[in-house]
Amino acid sequence: MRKFNIRKVLDGLTAVSSVASASSAAQQQQAGNRETEIQETLQSEHFQLCKTVRHGFPYQPSALAFDPVQKILAIGTQTGALRLFGRPGVECYCQHDSGAAVIQLQFLINEGALVSALADDTLHLWNLRQKRPAILHSLKFNRERITFCHLPFQSKWLYVGTERGNIHIVNVESFTLSGYVIMWNKAIELSSKSHPGPIVHISDNPMDEGKLLIGFESGTVVLWDLKSKKADYRYTHDEAIHSVAWHHEGKQFICSHSDGTLTIWNVKSPTKPFQTITPHGKQLKDGKKPEPCKPILKVEYKTTRAGEPFIILSGGLSYDTVGRRPCLTVMHGKSTAVLEMDYSIVDFLTLCETPYPNDFQEPYAVVVLLEKDLVLIDLAQNGYPIFENPYPLTIHESPVTCCEYFADCPVDLIPALYSVGARQKRQGYSKKEWPISGGNWGLITQSYPEIIITGHADGSIKFWDASAITLQVLYKLKTAKVFEKSRNKDDRPNTDIVDEDPYAIQIISWCPESRMLCIAGVSAHVIIYRFSKQEVTTEVIPMLEVRLLYEINDVESPDGEQVPPLPTPGTGSNPQSIVPQSHPSTSSSSSDGLRDNVPCLKVKNSPLKQSPGYQTELVIQLVWVSGEPPQQITSLAVNSAYGLVVFGNCNGIAMVDYLQKTVLLNLGTIELYGSNDPYRREPRSPRKTRQPSGAGLCDINEGAVVPEDRCKSPTSAKMSRKLSLPTELKPDLDVKDNSFSRSRSSSVTSIDKETREAISALHFCETFTRKADTSPSPSLWVGTTLGTVLVIVLNLPPGGEQRLLQPVIVSPSGTILRLKGAILRMAFLDTTGSLVPPAHEPWREHNVPEDKDEKDKSKKRRPVSVSPSSSQEISENQYAVICSEKQAKVISLPSQNCIYKQNITETSFVLRGDIVSLSNSICLACFCANGHIMTFSLPSLRPLLDVYYLPLTNMRIARTFCFTNNGQALYLVSPTEIQRLTYSQETCENLQEMLGELFTPVETPEAPNRGFFKGLFGGGAQSLDREELFGESASGKASRSLAQHIPGPGGIEGVKGAASGVVGELARARLALDERGQKLGELEEKTAAMLYSADSFSKHAHEMMLKYKDKKWYQF
């Protein structure tokens, strides 16, 4: 991707905007004074950009931790992200600046802090006592690589094991190294002739804090006495160790090995294991050792008061279980349960009733972190059912291919979707409450409903409730169920327009008021849905087939040899199947064996049971033409008041009346222009022979109307943004090699595709269609990739019965408007500058006959609008707002004078533009490929915000970025996560209140009672004064070159927002305040540290007093 000079872009923008405002002022006077009456209330101080929340499953997870007292779960990822989960609705996302993988996480239990160890050998201490956690300290190891960390409960000394086999000790309060080091050669002494390998485990004996168990990768385990600084016992085994776990009484421990065995050792018997188990090994006769199995990657050993202990492990399956899914094994007494997982296991943790390692553990659940899912298993119920996961972690269940965001929806929508979605819930979950229940919800300051719709590669669509920075799935629709599934791989002649995912959703068009939904899929299919609360059975699925051609005089015919002759399956004996004969010369099947008149997918011809929710109204498919597959759909619009759906691709445009199930319009793009075509292209007449290509399609760019930089702002990029398929997207955006536009057909050359004029924007509205119009009328505005806007007039029959009997008449208006770059978005303002929404029919239950039917139907075509535009006087006018990938124009109607114009970008192109409402006004919001987010006032197109946010690194961002009302926006930041952001100053200010709190003050449970005899004869937990051992006075200072301390930004809360663009001054002032606050914050931290140490001293003194207060002489 080319690097853009941002400064030049900005300079260019300011220069252009000043020129634009000067030219628009002159035009404004000509257009009359009516425009000047519009008062624009939005100013640059209404805008500020900041991230709000991130939803979805953490992408590429690598580490897991749980605080058993606070009940908070932490997940680290391979990209240095940190996700924290409390009760449903309490979530938090943080990021390590280095982006290095998180290898381990350790909570300071019930302290509101977390230590993260990263693959770049840094340790970080996170403060979780604030709504946006921040790093307090960091420690960078220079000479050693970190492999394992252990922080004992209620200790401030963190043990850090390294690749060289040494253990260093870090004070987590000051984040400094102790001089106490356990060197590998001292630990193993003469027990092994070779290096024992990296440290894979460290833990202290649950009953004696002075004894440290150290596991080396090669198979050696050492019990180290911290006070005497020597090894008590050494346990050697000839198989590599992956993990170690203690029995809570401290007399036994268990190791998991690379040959699929578990060894249980008695602490005082180091010569051989007390027991060896191969959980998945086939027991051979003659007492031979079982066959080796796959490594057991982790084992946990948890005890219960009432029964047998639990041994829980991941891995260890026998090698002959090829293709078997990853498993978690739960061994309890004599029973062994093997729980299959959908994805490979990254890590797991057993949740226990007590945080104390020296008490009966009483395990109640297992959290299993998988590569693409988080599973919680209930250990207390028979059959180990899983808990129903309340977090929105299933965004990526099938890869997301597109999404739309609607803020300020009708209030009855979310309850309606929830009620039909509730019936889709799976059964068989655990009856218990979700055990991760920490934290508190934030205050809800936003009261409007928000809905996110995601389209997926398997043809499913999910509706999400996104109100008040939360996310919850409401309803899932499977669009693929109207098609026949291919039974085997050979029987797939129909889906070969795409290699995989033939049902993938590309475009979603939704009318929240009428609840009409329309989708366009990758196999050139369109499905229209109505919402109903009643279950129905559709005997015959209504279906239309449309033949869209792209033919010009001067294009060579595609080579026949390039398309393999394929069998032509029948289109089904569907009585409602219509093939519009708009091109009689080519609509019959071709005689040379090329596939013709066949859709890509086959619609089911058996009755279809449709559950309450979205139900199929009509399926429309584009068909093959003379061996040429249909081109993918690039734009789509549905209108419930008119009963029409329209869609277009690089061949042309088709309009369908979904009430009468008829095709109203089927034109090649060139035919739309009629005699006004600026490129003088002629539709091929049936009688003309094909001429060799002279001035072919490649020369279209030479036309005077299209500037040279058309090449820089590729239409193919525009098209393939809608076309490219989900799964793995190439980050390279160079258009010359058409790298991310997957060729759908071998017979069309890429240069031909690139220069075709595709339909890129469609908008139904009630407006002035011609200069001479005196009143607004229903119309369709069509935008193309060559920057043309054409207007089609719709003549609708009256409502009621007549609407179903009389035809809709569609005619071109002759109006043509031009912009630079492909058209992205159109909208209309009334004379007061308010948005005129497209007309819509209010939702009603379609499957129940009503008495007031006629009355309701007569209301159908009224445009529901916030403005007085529906009863316009002749003198009143409207404004068309048109945004292309290069510029925006505001055009006065009916005069068609351009009254305002703004060149948005010279060197890049706009990926997404939306006209949105904010603070009782409206603006145009744009996201550019160079990473800038911009907003402009309407109608004057004054720049209000310009912030460099994120460069376009892959097509996923381009395909999913969308703005909506009230300053909200989102995009898919990774294949599994949605990032939401706001460009509203008010939301940024309220964000702090809206965010949930992770840390809540909770009493630490009481320590287990030692009991009379244990106190009398010893054998209770032995405590250790670690300060005495590891403090500077006892162990000296650590080598300075070993690790370097880096103070963190230390928890200043607040948004260090955009210091560029129009709000720069505000942001700079805020930064200065932040810095002043930071100095105060450092002082406050030092005071807090002193208070903390005084407090901990008094706590220790108090504990000592309690310890000895009620004891008799024989207990000392």
Side-chain angles (χ1 to χ4, degrees):
M1 185 174 165
R2 285 197 317 282
K3 286 196 166 68
F4 300 114
N5 186 327
I6 306 301
R7 194 176 289 114
K8 282 186 180 171
V9 176
L10 289 171
D11 291 345
L13 257 181
T14 45
V16 166
S17 61
S18 54
V19 172
S21 48
S23 64
S24 62
Q27 287 169 326
Q28 205 173 328
Q29 288 175 337
Q30 294 167 13
N33 295 326
R34 185 165 296 279
E35 282 81 38
T36 55
E37 291 167 19
I38 296 177
Q39 289 293 309
E40 291 186 3
T41 54
L42 284 179
Q43 302 299 327
S44 55
E45 51 266 26
H46 288 108
F47 294 88
Q48 184 184 338
L49 194 72
C50 71
K51 291 179 181 177
T52 52
V53 280
R54 185 173 287 203
H55 302 297
F57 182 77
Y59 185 55
Q60 294 178 326
S62 55
L64 181 67
F66 183 69
D67 184 325
V69 181
Q70 284 288 320
K71 303 249 188 296
I72 285 175
L73 187 78
I75 296 175
T77 75
Q78 289 176 31
T79 53
L82 188 58
R83 289 285 291 282
L84 296 143
F85 296 91
R87 65 178 62 194
V90 177
E91 274 183 50
C92 181
Y93 156 76
C94 321
Q95 177 69 46
H96 292 92
D97 290 340
S98 67
V102 179
I103 54 173
Q104 207 178 340
L105 294 170
Q106 290 263 299
F107 274 102
L108 278 67
I109 293 171
N110 206 22
E111 296 285 342
L114 174 78
V115 173
S116 57
L118 268 59
D120 63 356
D121 310 306
T122 53
L123 294 171
H124 304 274
L125 178 68
W126 289 86
N127 175 14
L128 309 182
R129 290 181 179 233
Q130 55 191 54
K131 290 191 171 183
R132 289 214 151 167
I135 292 174
L136 291 169
H137 300 282
S138 298
L139 195 63
K140 170 90 173 107
F141 280 75
N142 297 323
R143 299 202 306 255
E144 295 250 44
R145 309 227 58 186
I146 299 171
T147 55
F148 193 89
C149 299
H150 170 64
L151 180 68
F153 178 45
Q154 293 181 324
S155 161
K156 67 172 186 179
W157 299 96
L158 174 77
Y159 301 108
V160 181
T162 69
E163 200 171 49
R164 288 186 188 173
N166 304 323
I167 292 177
H168 302 279
I169 299 164
V170 176
N171 179 333
V172 289
E173 282 176 7
S174 60
F175 240 56
T176 51
L177 272 177
S178 160
Y180 191 116
V181 183
I182 304 170
M183 302 302 284
W184 69 270
N185 50 356
K186 191 97 190 289
I188 66 158
E189 272 182 350
L190 301 173
S191 64
S192 163
K193 290 176 184 172
S194 56
H195 189 279
I199 301 272
V200 292
H201 179 82
I202 307 168
S203 60
D204 41 347
N205 184 321
M207 287 297 177
D208 187 352
E209 294 174 348
K211 302 280 195 278
L212 200 65
L213 194 71
I214 305 163
F216 294 93
E217 192 180 65
S218 65
T220 302
V221 178
V222 173
L223 188 69
W224 179 263
D225 186 312
L226 288 163
K227 281 182 186 168
S228 64
K229 300 187 182 179
K230 64 180 198 315
D232 279 359
Y233 299 103
R234 295 184 181 89
Y235 314 83
T236 50
H237 193 65
D238 49 8
E239 286 296 335
I241 289 177
H242 283 277
S243 77
V244 184
W246 279 102
H247 185 284
H248 85 272
E249 288 175 348
K251 294 173 183 171
Q252 279 188 339
F253 62 87
I254 187 167
C255 301
S256 77
H257 300 280
S258 56
D259 64 345
T261 58
L262 297 172
T263 52
I264 298 175
W265 299 77
N266 283 337
V267 170
K268 294 184 177 176
S269 310
T271 48
K272 67 175 181 42
F274 162 71
Q275 191 183 357
T276 302
I277 310 166
T278 312
H280 296 285
K282 288 179 182 161
Q283 296 299 324
L284 303 172
K285 290 172 186 171
D286 313 327
K288 287 180 185 171
K289 276 174 91 178
E291 288 176 7
C293 294
K294 292 174 185 172
I296 295 175
L297 300 175
K298 184 172 182 178
V299 64
E300 294 211 333
Y301 196 9
K302 301 295 178 187
T303 50
T304 59
R305 267 191 179 80
E308 302 275 350
F310 282 88
I311 296 175
I312 302 165
L313 55 115
S314 64
L317 294 177
S318 65
Y319 279 102
D320 60 5
T321 52
V322 179
R324 188 163 179 190
R325 295 195 295 183
C327 293
L328 186 83
T329 307
V330 180
M331 299 167 73
H332 185 221
K334 290 182 178 171
S335 77
T336 299
V338 180
L339 309 174
E340 288 200 338
M341 302 290 155
D342 289 339
Y343 307 100
S344 53
I345 298 170
V346 175
D347 198 357
F348 73 88
L349 288 173
T350 311
L351 308 190
C352 300
E353 296 290 353
T354 176
Y356 293 93
N358 58 354
D359 195 6
F360 285 99
Q361 297 297 288
E362 303 297 347
Y364 60 89
V366 184
V367 182
V368 190
L369 177 63
L370 305 175
E371 212 172 35
K372 293 184 179 177
D373 202 1
L374 181 73
V375 176
L376 249 84
I377 296 157
D378 184 350
L379 288 179
Q381 280 185 45
N382 285 340
Y384 306 131
I386 64 167
F387 288 87
E388 184 176 6
N389 196 323
Y391 304 136
L393 301 182
T394 58
I395 291 168
H396 63 287
E397 197 174 18
S398 166
V400 176
T401 50
C402 63
C403 55
E404 292 295 337
Y405 189 7
F406 300 85
D408 220 0
C409 301
V411 286
D412 57 347
L413 255 180
I414 289 175
L417 288 163
Y418 182 80
S419 68
V420 294
R423 302 167 198 230
Q424 301 176 328
K425 293 239 169 112
R426 276 177 49 196
Q427 300 303 310
Y429 289 114
S430 165
K431 306 279 186 293
K432 291 192 179 157
E433 288 286 305
W434 181 252
I436 303 161
S437 55
N440 279 324
W441 294 308
L443 292 172
I444 297 174
T445 55
Q446 290 176 354
S447 55
Y448 52 85
E450 296 173 71
I451 290 176
I452 294 169
I453 306 179
T454 51
H456 301 264
D458 64 355
S460 61
I461 285 178
K462 287 183 184 171
F463 290 78
W464 304 83
D465 176 2
S467 312
I469 70 169
T470 60
L471 194 70
Q472 183 187 1
V473 72
L474 291 169
Y475 170 70
K476 179 179 174 180
L477 169 68
K478 294 177 179 173
T479 67
K481 68 180 182 186
V482 300
F483 299 110
E484 297 279 6
K485 295 274 194 303
S486 52
R487 296 271 183 274
N488 55 14
K489 287 195 174 168
D490 307 328
D491 180 31
R492 288 184 55 194
N494 284 13
T495 60
D496 55 3
I497 173 178
V498 282
D499 313 334
E500 70 281 321
D501 303 324
Y503 312 109
I505 307 291
Q506 284 185 303
I507 314 172
I508 297 165
S509 176
W510 187 51
C511 172
E513 288 78 16
S514 67
R515 305 185 190 171
M516 287 301 292
L517 171 71
C518 193
I519 64 99
V522 77
S523 296
H525 62 281
V526 170
I527 310 177
I528 301 150
Y529 290 93
R530 274 188 197 276
F531 185 83
S532 171
K533 293 180 180 175
Q534 309 291 320
E535 185 175 291
V536 292
T537 300
T538 309
E539 292 302 321
V540 177
I541 299 165
M543 180 181 89
L544 286 176
E545 288 174 1
V546 178
R547 188 181 172 92
L548 260 185
L549 289 179
Y550 180 82
E551 293 192 305
I552 304 185
N553 262 340
D554 42 23
V555 181
E556 278 184 84
S557 69
D559 280 345
E561 298 140 1
Q562 285 179 289
V563 183
L566 287 156
T568 307
T571 54
S573 57
N574 192 320
Q576 285 177 294
S577 164
I578 301 169
V579 180
Q581 304 286 314
S582 60
H583 296 268
S585 63
T586 50
S587 60
S588 57
S589 260
S590 45
S591 54
D592 52 1
L594 293 178
R595 190 196 277 186
D596 197 46
N597 267 354
V598 185
C600 298
L601 302 171
K602 194 174 176 188
V603 175
K604 279 182 183 168
N605 49 19
S606 54
L608 181 70
K609 184 181 161 191
Q610 306 209 64
S611 306
Y614 274 103
Q615 297 171 350
T616 309
E617 173 82 1
L618 178 64
V619 180
I620 307 164
Q621 293 195 83
L622 294 182
V623 295
W624 285 65
V625 178
S626 311
E628 175 76 21
Q631 296 302 311
Q632 289 182 343
I633 290 159
T634 52
S635 57
L636 173 73
V638 65
N639 187 289
S640 57
Y642 306 158
L644 301 177
V645 65
V646 62
F647 55 94
N649 62 11
C650 61
N651 285 346
I653 185 171
M655 191 191 294
V656 169
D657 178 341
Y658 65 75
L659 298 174
Q660 294 187 21
K661 315 279 189 283
T662 56
V663 179
L664 299 173
L665 183 74
N666 177 4
L667 288 175
T669 320
I670 308 144
E671 295 169 287
L672 269 176
Y673 285 91
S675 57
N676 299 326
D677 185 4
Y679 305 116
R680 295 176 296 283
R681 298 163 294 190
E682 292 172 38
R684 186 183 318 117
S685 113
R687 288 172 298 282
K688 286 195 181 169
T689 53
R690 300 184 177 196
Q691 298 165 358
S693 169
L697 270 172
C698 319
D699 301 331
I700 285 186
N701 281 351
E702 306 292 316
V705 212
V706 181
E708 197 206 10
D709 73 2
R710 176 76 238 138
C711 321
K712 290 180 198 162
S713 141
T715 21
S716 70
K718 171 76 195 99
M719 281 155 55
S720 51
R721 178 157 62 258
K722 295 255 168 79
L723 304 191
S724 64
L725 251 172
T727 9
E728 274 318 307
L729 294 150
K730 296 172 186 161
D732 185 7
L733 289 188
D734 191 2
V735 186
K736 292 185 183 75
D737 62 8
N738 206 14
S739 62
F740 59 85
S741 172
R742 235 152 95 187
S743 180
R744 301 285 165 224
S745 145
S746 51
S747 62
V748 180
T749 61
S750 62
I751 192 97
D752 168 23
K753 278 244 197 92
E754 224 170 279
T755 49
R756 283 192 189 181
E757 184 172 18
I759 307 295
S760 56
L762 295 162
H763 189 88
F764 284 106
C765 61
E766 200 133 330
T767 187
F768 301 93
T769 56
R770 300 178 180 90
K771 287 186 182 180
D773 280 3
T774 54
S775 62
S777 58
S779 62
L780 170 70
W781 289 55
V782 181
T784 76
T785 49
L786 294 186
T788 307
V789 175
L790 303 127
V791 184
I792 292 170
V793 183
L794 309 172
N795 198 332
L796 298 158
E801 290 298 313
Q802 292 302 306
R803 174 64 186 85
L804 300 173
L805 299 171
Q806 293 183 29
V808 176
I809 296 159
V810 181
S811 55
S813 66
T815 298
I816 293 186
L817 306 168
R818 296 208 51 78
L819 274 78
K820 201 161 69 170
I823 307 296
L824 298 180
R825 191 74 68 221
M826 296 175 277
F828 293 82
L829 315 183
D830 66 11
T831 190
T832 65
S834 303
L835 197 63
V836 181
H840 59 262
E841 170 196 54
W843 179 78
R844 64 183 182 82
E845 180 55 71
H846 206 64
N847 292 326
V848 176
E850 290 185 67
D851 301 334
K852 304 177 294 183
D853 216 12
E854 289 299 316
K855 191 176 174 187
D856 278 1
K857 281 189 177 176
S858 63
K859 287 183 186 174
K860 259 191 193 177
R861 262 186 43 228
R862 59 177 189 148
V864 180
S865 168
V866 291
S867 68
S869 61
S870 48
S871 58
Q872 287 203 351
E873 298 165 23
I874 293 169
S875 60
E876 290 193 340
N877 54 356
Q878 284 188 358
Y879 304 98
V881 181
I882 305 169
C883 174
S884 80
E885 54 183 23
K886 286 289 184 183
Q887 60 179 197
K889 282 185 180 180
V890 174
I891 289 157
S892 179
L893 299 176
S895 66
Q896 295 181 15
N897 289 332
C898 174
I899 56 167
Y900 297 104
K901 177 175 137 187
Q902 176 66 266
N903 287 345
I904 300 168
T905 172
E906 293 292 341
T907 53
S908 183
F909 55 97
V910 178
L911 286 161
R912 177 83 185 207
D914 286 294
I915 290 99
V916 289
S917 64
L918 176 72
S919 307
N920 299 319
S921 191
I922 52 167
C923 64
L924 167 66
C926 297
F927 171 53
C928 281
N930 61 13
H932 281 251
I933 287 177
M934 307 177 192
T935 62
F936 301 92
S937 71
L938 287 174
S940 69
L941 295 173
R942 277 179 302 119
L944 296 170
L945 172 80
D946 181 359
V947 175
Y948 177 72
Y949 175 67
L950 98 157
L952 179 65
T953 48
N954 61 34
M955 282 306 299
R956 190 192 328 106
I957 299 168
R959 207 183 47 244
T960 56
F961 198 104
C962 46
F963 297 96
T964 186
N965 298 329
N966 300 339
Q968 308 288 347
L970 66 80
Y971 61 97
L972 216 67
V973 67
S974 75
T976 61
E977 296 163 292
I978 286 175
Q979 176 67 55
R980 284 164 74 177
L981 52 145
T982 182
Y983 48 95
S984 151
Q985 168 74 30
E986 187 187 359
T987 308
C988 284
E989 284 175 358
N990 292 335
L991 185 60
Q992 201 60 25
E993 287 178 15
M994 293 166 70
L995 292 172
E997 285 184 85
L998 286 164
F999 180 79
T1000 46
V1002 180
E1003 286 279 315
T1004 303
E1006 277 189 30
N1009 192 353
R1010 284 172 69 185
F1012 176 79
F1013 287 106
K1014 278 192 176 173
L1016 180 59
F1017 302 112
Q1022 303 293 311
S1023 60
L1024 168 82
D1025 187 348
R1026 296 185 178 94
E1027 185 70 49
E1028 198 179 289
L1029 273 179
F1030 306 144
E1032 204 173 296
S1033 55
S1035 64
K1037 285 190 174 181
S1039 159
R1040 280 194 173 178
S1041 61
L1042 183 61
Q1044 168 193 0
H1045 177 258
I1046 307 156
I1052 282 198
E1053 294 199 282
V1055 185
K1056 293 198 174 182
S1060 64
V1062 193
V1063 288
E1065 290 309 313
L1066 261 169
R1068 274 190 281 277
R1070 212 174 273 121
L1071 282 176
L1073 275 169
D1074 267 5
E1075 279 158 20
R1076 214 171 306 149
Q1078 188 142 9
K1079 289 191 175 79
L1080 284 168
E1082 283 165 14
L1083 188 66
E1084 201 172 295
E1085 268 172 45
K1086 281 175 187 163
T1087 317
M1090 285 164 73
L1091 277 170
Y1092 184 89
S1093 57
D1095 187 46
S1096 64
F1097 177 80
S1098 73
K1099 199 162 93 183
H1100 282 304
H1102 185 64
E1103 278 169 9
M1104 289 280 284
M1105 184 268 287
L1106 289 176
K1107 194 171 175 182
Y1108 295 110
K1109 189 174 76 168
D1110 298 319
K1111 293 199 174 174
K1112 304 284 183 254
W1113 59 268
Y1114 52 76
Q1115 288 178 305
F1116 281 95

